[in-house]
Amino acid sequence: TTTIYNEQHHLYIVNSLRFVDEVFLGSLEKKREYILKYKADVLVMGDDWKDKLNGICRVEYFERTPSISTTDIIEVVCSKV
């Protein structure tokens, strides 16, 4: 799969939002570790992780938007070339 933005670009974009204090990548275990380390009040992530981190802090899930993924956009663009 080809990506438009690599992980570092994704981190930079999200971290640029004024209401974001910390951005990190990692497995579920790493997320749990970071929540405890940074004493997070709220964790925001995709709903594919729904109900995996209950009880550690408040978790807000973003619903995946069908057909609006980078992969889908790349496939459409490539099919038009």
Side-chain angles (χ1 to χ4, degrees):
T1 301
T2 304
T3 61
I4 293 174
Y5 298 110
N6 64 30
E7 284 182 346
Q8 291 306 310
H9 285 123
H10 280 279
L11 290 173
Y12 177 79
I13 291 166
V14 174
N15 201 45
S16 295
L17 301 171
R18 68 175 166 25
F19 48 82
V20 173
D21 294 323
E22 194 72 38
V23 180
F24 53 85
L25 300 170
S27 63
L28 190 59
E29 293 75 27
K30 280 290 189 187
K31 285 177 177 45
R32 187 179 314 277
E33 178 185 319
Y34 290 144
I35 289 167
L36 296 172
K37 177 180 177 180
Y38 293 106
K39 299 177 180 148
D41 297 316
V42 180
L43 175 69
V44 180
M45 58 193 208
D47 66 356
D48 52 332
W49 292 93
K50 196 160 187 116
D51 300 324
K52 303 285 189 202
L53 294 168
N54 293 339
I56 298 175
C57 70
R58 189 174 112 216
V59 182
E60 295 292 331
Y61 297 99
F62 285 146
E63 185 177 327
R64 301 285 178 185
T65 307
S67 302
I68 308 295
S69 72
T70 301
T71 302
D72 291 341
I73 293 168
I74 291 169
E75 287 176 7
V76 168
V77 170
C78 288
S79 72
K80 303 292 182 189
V81 177

